[in-house]
Amino acid sequence: MYRNHTCGELRLSDAGKEVTLAGWVQRTRKMGGMTFVDLRDRYGITQLVFNEAVNAELNERANRLGREFVIQVKGTVNERSNKNKNLPTGEVEIVVSELNVLNASLTPPFTIEDDTDGGDDLRMKYRYLDIRRAAVRKNLELRHRMTMEVRHYLDGKGFLEIETPMLIGSTPEGARDFVVPSRMNPGQFYALPQSPQTLKQLLMVAGMDRYFQIVKCFRDEDLRADRQPEFTQIDCEMSFVEQEDIIELFEGMAKHLFKVIRGVEFTEPFQRMTWADAMKYYGSDKPDLRFGMKFVELMDILKGYGFGVFDNAAYIGGICAEGAATYTRKQLDALTEYVKKPQIGAKGMVYARVEADGNVKSSVDKFYSQEVLQKMKEAFGARPGDLILILSGDDVMKTRKQLCELRLKVAEELGLRDKNKFACLWVVDFPMFEWSEEEGRLMAMHHPFTHPKDEDVPLLDTNPEAVRADAYDMVINGIEVGGGSIRIHDQALQAKMFEILGFTPERAQAQFGFLMNAFKFGAPPHGGLAYGLDRWVSIFAGLDSIRDCIAFPKNNSGRDVMLDAPAPLDQSQLDELQLALDLKEK
Amino acid sequence: MYRNHTCGELRLSDAGKEVTLAGWVQRTRKMGGMTFVDLRDRYGITQLVFNEAVNAELNERANRLGREFVIQVKGTVNERSNKNKNLPTGEVEIVVSELNVLNASLTPPFTIEDDTDGGDDLRMKYRYLDIRRAAVRKNLELRHRMTMEVRHYLDGKGFLEIETPMLIGSTPEGARDFVVPSRMNPGQFYALPQSPQTLKQLLMVAGMDRYFQIVKCFRDEDLRADRQPEFTQIDCEMSFVEQEDIIELFEGMAKHLFKVIRGVEFTEPFQRMTWADAMKYYGSDKPDLRFGMKFVELMDILKGYGFGVFDNAAYIGGICAEGAATYTRKQLDALTEYVKKPQIGAKGMVYARVEADGNVKSSVDKFYSQEVLQKMKEAFGARPGDLILILSGDDVMKTRKQLCELRLKVAEELGLRDKNKFACLWVVDFPMFEWSEEEGRLMAMHHPFTHPKDEDVPLLDTNPEAVRADAYDMVINGIEVGGGSIRIHDQALQAKMFEILGFTPERAQAQFGFLMNAFKFGAPPHGGLAYGLDRWVSIFAGLDSIRDCIAFPKNNSGRDVMLDAPAPLDQSQLDELQLALDLKEK
């Protein structure tokens, strides 16, 4: 061992001890005849001290140490005269008697500090240096702690972690698969799993009763801001359960994690909200409930007063931002511009301030009497100093989604999206299907294995779009961290589901025959859910992106810029795989 | 919840309780007016009883239950008159008052019993039924328990589990990669990792200090008996350590696992053996030390007596099988045939029995006097009743390997390879390189990142084949369960290593530039090891093959016969990937 202590553990009580430390040179400072070196490792920083008067040669060598040199030192723990209250080791220093340079270092391309001068691209190229920064390291430590706790909790509940294969079959339904050519079976391909969904259902058929796995999943999608082609799922499935059992068990897990990881104790059950209410009151299936501003519908109140925009609208609704009447005209114009951006698509925004005397001043005063505006005020329960923002449109759902964006934007501006505050809820009763304009058919909102609500089963034949599913999402701070459903375990119902989704029996058999056949041999009732680990860690870590809780993430083109992957293959590799490139002109 | 108890937990103390159980019908028996049903779940089997006299309709329905039907029952726990001592639940039965069939089942294609009538192929096709058998289920439970304990142990030692990417770059050095075409980067490919070797070294450069990961790895090799294209590794790396530190820590982990999983306590340190000794005394770098039969070299004793085979041999050596003088001529002939098989390749075998009076009777008595044979007997320390078996050849290493096969075969026949006995050792001081006839160059025996022994570094220039490495394998019962090394952390030494391995500087840079560049920025001394989880679990489970400790394994053609993967892709998928098949005629 190159050390007998880490750089994070020595305290005043160790004074006088002879110790050996090893680590990286964070910085050196020369003060008169003394040289101070901050030595860093994963566990902390310890100050080393060299004295020219005591050992000139050693001091000289210390002066020549560059940033990020790897060194080993022997010395004596000494009480510091100038204590640093910000460091756990700040009361001591090591008076060095021996110095070994274990490895030199070029000057790193950015500073190894929490507040680094390195841009994103540079940091990713030299990710091995970036991870040395405490800000990144802590995320990986948190991630480890979370997965340990997840395993501990689930093991305690009788779950078995069972590895499912990574090389499986491709199913064109759903997102795009990454595929892997098989050399031993020329012309054939494996696919990497988008999730172990069907495999975990087979494990339920296999009687494993309670399964989980923390597992890599793969989706070949065009990468949006916060997507990675490979991501990690906490994947769970249980037999002989109903929706309530699953919600209870996994709410327990969430509470456990909040308690042990973040020190936050939830004593009340998480809020539950139907999908319909979530859309109605927040315009989103993952409402952020850290703050209010619940939608208020204003059709009854504001229609029919000659304001054409409202009179012709299919939906008029608004939010009330508490104490935001101080918003300037400029700020309000900026909000209007924001909702009019093509990504959001609103036509405009109406606002109204509640003044100190209780009167309402709106941007559409010429159409509305104070009496009507007061009725509106009451609908919001608005008080003096509040700001009311209203959107309208000819498509109810679209307008609600626009209002959702406005709500989040205003909350952001008002500092209501506090990363140290957590609002958890279950969104339940999702619709079974959604209509896809692109495909011209119904698509499964969750996936084709989701069980419809028993009471809605008759609607499958008459009005499938009205069928609700035994499906549920866990939402934290407006982010869907997990979701799942009770699954179909009856082969006839599963076959019907594929029929509604537009599968011919042949195609259903070709793609999911292995599962439907398994259902013929005694499939138990079962259900489960999956959490996105990357996202959950990033919430706990207070990160805006999942990237910094992943050791070696890929960029938006799916590249690992550190490894420079993907890359062309040797021709001999292609030959062995019996493949040829067929590159299209751009 | 469909149940309030499992099928494994009810005891006599529960008598009188009203319970609800759910599970699979293992078997039904009709005895007079009574029907008995064994109900099975993951946790055990509980007997249900139906009485025609009490409820004829219910009894009738119970009689119609088929094997593997999924049912839910309500009833009362009752003391059995006819107790079954072999079942933990064998003192009770459930007097059923309500029966719900949750799902029917076709008759399974093989019996769901430990001793099934299903052949391998059928079991793999219906793996979800195969896993219902306790014999398979227990292996998956053991695997879960082992990974939980590994994580617990390593977490306690300050290791962080850090996920490394699955989509990395291809490195033609080493085994063949599975590759993944990148749609977003046409003409380019990712590779699936054969191991996270370079990534974990980068994590050490990143200062993560102690890393582990239980992780899927991939090798596109022609599959021999006990290989899988995807397999699981317990992958570990530590900084600021020497070989001894790693051996100590991971020997501790092995002892912990033996204790908590198998109830075997090792109080002594594991044996250590140099690679040279392992080859000399056992003809293998992974000797099975559950039994003796150490090789004895006989060149000095048996050469020069006119027996041409021995007189011309470069190696003569043998083993002594205790108490095996009773081997018949037929058995000895069979052994001779065994070693002469092409896979083993010996020319013949010489044997000698030690008779009750101490005289030695050999198959080559006409060349050797009793005096010489007595000297040989002494060399083995053989006693009356022992059998001596001797091989010779003109290639020392090859003959030793043949003798190794003979030793294992005889041990097998003598019942010395007891699956409940465990012999662990470390094989150390591996050679750095081995000569590859195929490639016509030196190859790294472990991998190109292995650190040579400090004292052997000067030999790199003069006699690289004599260089030993800081590399070590952990061997249990003749199976290599893990191995590792101290790594090179010096870029100049790493560059020299690539040079000896025949890399041009350009090729080394193209393939491993990311690592060599990282070494320029303060790489700490580091080392690690990796265990093959599948193999280790199979040893603990007493399995001959790794297949039955994997939920969904692949066959020898790399196929998952349950999923029927791999399979051809849709043309549209190939088009999106800008790939074409280029199938060769067979």
Side-chain angles (χ1 to χ4, degrees), chain A residues 1-3 22 24 42-43 68 70 102-107 128-129 131-132 137 141 143-145 148 151 155 158-170 172 176 178-185 187-190 202-203 205-210 216 218 220-222 230 232 240-242 245 489 514 518 520-525 533 551 554 556-559 562-563 565-567 569-570 573 575-580 582-584, chain B residues 1-3 22 24 42-43 68 70 102-107 128-129 131-132 137 141 143-145 148 151 155 158-170 172 176 178-185 187-190 202 205-210 216 218 220-222 230 232 240-242 245 489 514 518 520-525 533 551 554 556-559 562-563 565-567 569-570 573 575-580 582-584:
Chain A
M1 200 68 104
Y2 285 76
R3 67 185 177 209
W24 285 261
R42 192 184 104 197
Y43 311 95
E68 301 305 315
V70 186
L102 300 175
N103 219 340
S105 173
L106 299 181
T107 303
Y128 45 83
L129 298 180
I131 294 174
R132 286 188 194 163
R137 191 195 72 222
E141 289 171 343
R143 188 180 179 111
H144 165 73
R145 184 56 39 217
M148 284 298 294
R151 288 187 164 100
D155 179 58
F159 284 75
L160 300 175
E161 185 161 26
I162 301 173
E163 293 173 68
T164 52
M166 288 282 162
L167 298 173
I168 64 171
S170 181
R176 217 181 274 107
F178 280 105
V179 298
V180 181
S182 167
R183 182 184 53 86
M184 292 178 77
N185 303 274
Q188 301 192 16
F189 293 74
Y190 303 100
L202 289 173
L203 286 172
V205 178
M208 293 312 286
D209 205 69
R210 294 184 166 204
K216 275 282 173 73
F218 303 85
D220 183 12
E221 290 176 310
D222 297 318
E230 53 179 303
T232 305
F240 300 116
V241 290
E242 290 153 310
D245 304 311
H489 64 280
F514 63 94
K520 294 176 186 162
F521 292 97
L533 176 65
K554 292 188 174 53
N556 280 346
S557 313
R559 295 200 70 80
M562 180 187 71
L563 300 177
L569 287 189
D570 287 355
Q573 284 176 287
D575 289 346
E576 273 199 317
L577 295 169
Q578 306 191 27
L579 280 182
D582 181 25
L583 299 179
K584 273 127 193 119
Chain B
M1 200 68 107
Y2 285 77
R3 68 187 176 208
W24 286 263
R42 192 185 104 195
Y43 311 94
E68 300 306 315
V70 184
L102 300 175
N103 219 339
S105 174
L106 298 181
T107 303
Y128 45 84
L129 299 179
I131 294 174
R132 286 187 194 165
R137 192 195 71 222
E141 289 171 344
R143 188 180 180 111
H144 165 73
R145 186 54 40 216
M148 284 297 294
R151 289 189 162 100
D155 179 57
F159 284 76
L160 300 176
E161 185 161 26
I162 301 173
E163 293 174 67
T164 53
M166 289 281 162
L167 299 172
I168 63 171
S170 182
R176 216 182 273 107
F178 280 105
V179 297
V180 182
S182 166
R183 181 184 53 86
M184 291 177 76
N185 302 275
Q188 301 192 15
F189 293 74
Y190 303 100
L202 289 174
V205 177
M208 293 312 286
D209 205 70
R210 294 185 165 203
K216 276 281 174 71
F218 304 84
D220 184 12
E221 290 177 310
D222 297 319
E230 53 179 302
T232 305
F240 300 115
V241 290
E242 290 153 309
D245 304 311
H489 64 280
F514 63 94
K520 295 176 186 163
F521 292 96
L533 177 65
K554 294 189 173 54
N556 280 346
S557 313
R559 293 200 72 79
M562 178 186 73
L563 299 177
L569 286 190
D570 287 354
Q573 285 177 286
D575 290 344
E576 273 198 319
L577 295 170
Q578 307 192 27
L579 281 180
D582 182 24
L583 299 180
K584 272 123 193 124

Side-chain angles (χ1 to χ4, degrees), chain A residues 477-497:
Chain A
N477 293 0
I479 294 167
E480 179 214 325
V481 292
S485 64
I486 297 296
R487 326 299 183 184
I488 297 167
H489 64 280
D490 176 78
Q491 47 160 326
L493 184 56
Q494 186 65 67
K496 185 186 205 75
M497 202 56 62

Side-chain angles (χ1 to χ4, degrees), chain B residues 535-553:
Chain B
R535 218 168 271 181
W536 203 345
V537 173
S538 70
I539 292 173
F540 271 18
L543 298 170
D544 291 318
S545 158
I546 61 170
R547 212 167 278 182
D548 267 342
C549 68
I550 297 172
F552 301 110

Side-chain angles (χ1 to χ4, degrees), chain B residues 17-209:
Chain B
K17 273 191 195 159
E18 289 292 316
V19 298
T20 306
L21 299 184
W24 286 263
V25 172
Q26 177 77 18
R27 66 179 69 81
T28 58
R29 292 183 307 281
K30 205 172 148 63
M31 292 174 71
M34 311 284 276
T35 301
F36 297 95
V37 174
D38 283 351
L39 188 68
R40 188 196 70 235
D41 66 11
R42 192 185 104 195
Y43 311 94
I45 285 181
T46 297
Q47 178 167 294
L48 312 178
V49 58
F50 299 80
N51 189 336
E52 191 176 1
V54 175
N55 187 333
E57 183 266 339
L58 194 65
N59 186 59
E60 176 51 29
R61 287 178 53 221
N63 274 321
R64 287 200 305 268
L65 292 173
R67 281 202 289 131
E68 300 306 315
F69 274 43
V70 184
I71 63 172
Q72 178 192 44
V73 293
K74 293 184 186 188
T76 312
V77 182
N78 191 35
E79 181 170 3
R80 266 162 87 159
S81 50
N82 196 359
K83 296 196 172 57
N84 181 345
K85 296 282 178 203
N86 298 321
L87 279 186
T89 60
E91 296 195 301
V92 297
E93 62 191 2
I94 312 298
V95 180
V96 176
S97 56
E98 194 181 321
L99 165 66
N100 299 313
V101 174
L102 300 175
N103 219 339
S105 174
L106 298 181
T107 303
F110 50 83
T111 58
I112 310 295
E113 305 277 357
D114 279 4
D115 218 358
T116 183
D117 57 354
D120 257 19
D121 291 350
L122 203 58
R123 285 176 47 216
M124 289 303 145
K125 184 165 156 63
Y126 295 92
R127 184 64 163 174
Y128 45 84
L129 299 179
D130 195 33
I131 294 174
R132 286 187 194 165
R133 302 190 306 120
V136 180
R137 192 195 71 222
K138 279 177 185 158
N139 299 332
L140 299 180
E141 289 171 344
L142 172 69
R143 188 180 180 111
H144 165 73
R145 186 54 40 216
M146 268 186 78
T147 55
M148 284 297 294
E149 288 296 338
V150 166
R151 289 189 162 100
H152 178 71
Y153 180 87
L154 292 175
D155 179 57
K157 299 289 184 191
F159 284 76
L160 300 176
E161 185 161 26
I162 301 173
E163 293 174 67
T164 53
M166 289 281 162
L167 299 172
I168 63 171
S170 182
T171 51
E173 175 77 2
R176 216 182 273 107
D177 286 322
F178 280 105
V179 297
V180 182
S182 166
R183 181 184 53 86
M184 291 177 76
N185 302 275
Q188 301 192 15
F189 293 74
Y190 303 100
L192 301 177
Q194 296 183 28
S195 98
Q197 180 62 36
T198 51
L199 291 158
K200 69 178 172 175
Q201 293 192 244
L202 289 174
L203 285 172
M204 295 302 103
V205 177
M208 293 312 286
D209 205 70

Side-chain angles (χ1 to χ4, degrees), chain B residues 159-442:
Chain B
F159 284 76
L160 300 176
E161 185 161 26
I162 301 173
E163 293 174 67
T164 53
M166 289 281 162
L167 299 172
I168 63 171
S170 182
T171 51
E173 175 77 2
R176 216 182 273 107
D177 286 322
F178 280 105
V179 297
V180 182
S182 166
R183 181 184 53 86
M184 291 177 76
N185 302 275
Q188 301 192 15
F189 293 74
Y190 303 100
L192 301 177
Q194 296 183 28
S195 98
Q197 180 62 36
T198 51
L199 291 158
K200 69 178 172 175
Q201 293 192 244
L202 289 174
L203 285 172
M204 295 302 103
V205 177
M208 293 312 286
D209 205 70
R210 294 185 165 203
Y211 145 94
F212 82 102
Q213 192 181 189
I214 301 184
V215 61
K216 276 281 174 71
C217 301
F218 304 84
R219 260 174 229 183
D220 184 12
E221 290 177 310
D222 297 319
L223 300 175
R224 279 180 276 150
D226 213 22
R227 289 276 180 90
Q228 287 280 317
E230 53 179 302
F231 55 97
T232 305
Q233 217 165 269
I234 307 171
D235 193 50
C236 309
E237 198 79 4
M238 305 168 75
S239 289
F240 300 115
V241 290
E242 290 153 309
Q243 175 169 312
E244 195 57 35
D245 304 311
I246 295 179
I247 286 185
E248 192 183 309
L249 196 139
F250 287 96
E251 184 167 319
M253 185 172 99
K255 286 177 174 173
H256 174 75
L257 291 176
F258 269 110
K259 190 171 160 187
V260 298
I261 306 282
R262 288 289 318 220
V264 175
E265 202 142 357
F266 288 96
T267 50
E268 297 295 309
F270 289 176
Q271 192 174 335
R272 308 252 184 119
M273 193 182 290
T274 64
W275 178 87
D277 278 354
M279 296 311 295
K280 180 171 180 182
Y281 294 119
Y282 300 95
S284 166
D285 58 3
K286 40 180 192 283
D288 188 343
L289 297 189
R290 279 175 295 184
F291 50 92
M293 298 200 273
K294 195 170 164 177
F295 295 179
V296 172
E297 288 196 12
L298 302 166
M299 295 284 280
D300 292 346
I301 298 172
L302 297 182
K303 258 197 178 228
Y305 292 92
F307 179 40
V309 171
F310 283 0
D311 286 355
N312 298 320
Y315 178 86
I316 312 168
I319 55 174
C320 173
E322 221 174 284
T326 52
Y327 258 60
T328 62
R329 179 62 193 255
K330 198 175 153 194
Q331 286 176 296
L332 289 164
D333 286 348
L335 280 184
T336 305
E337 286 314 305
Y338 180 78
V339 296
K340 284 167 77 177
K341 285 196 306 182
Q343 308 92 294
I344 299 183
K347 291 273 169 20
M349 181 185 81
V350 165
Y351 60 85
R353 294 192 183 87
V354 184
E355 302 193 315
D357 59 7
N359 278 341
V360 176
K361 272 301 265 180
S362 86
S363 57
V364 287
D365 273 1
K366 62 176 163 179
F367 299 105
Y368 296 100
S369 66
Q370 190 59 224
E371 194 189 345
V372 174
L373 295 175
Q374 285 299 321
K375 243 199 263 176
M376 177 181 82
K377 182 179 91 173
E378 274 162 38
F380 282 104
R383 286 172 305 179
D386 291 354
L387 175 69
I388 291 167
L389 300 170
I390 301 168
L391 297 184
S392 65
D394 49 16
D395 181 310
V396 178
M397 271 309 181
K398 278 189 185 158
T399 313
R400 281 177 176 156
K401 285 178 185 170
Q402 293 158 1
L403 192 53
C404 168
E405 296 294 338
L406 178 63
R407 175 177 175 268
L408 293 176
K409 175 76 175 167
V410 171
E412 189 71 49
E413 291 181 359
L414 296 175
L416 298 174
R417 305 188 76 178
D418 178 355
K419 284 189 175 129
N420 290 309
K421 189 176 163 184
F422 298 99
C424 308
L425 88 152
W426 291 99
V427 177
V428 297
D429 295 358
F430 276 77
M432 188 74 212
F433 305 103
E434 56 188 341
W435 180 260
S436 164
E437 291 295 342
E438 199 181 329
E439 303 264 332
R441 64 170 173 103
L442 288 178

Side-chain angles (χ1 to χ4, degrees), chain A residues 454-487:
Chain A
D454 283 330
E455 59 267 39
D456 289 357
V457 166
L459 295 173
L460 283 172
D461 292 312
T462 56
N463 184 10
E465 285 188 70
V467 174
R468 293 163 306 156
D470 281 332
Y472 32 82
D473 276 359
M474 185 189 279
V475 175
I476 303 178
N477 293 0
I479 294 167
E480 179 214 325
V481 292
S485 64
I486 297 296
R487 326 299 183 184

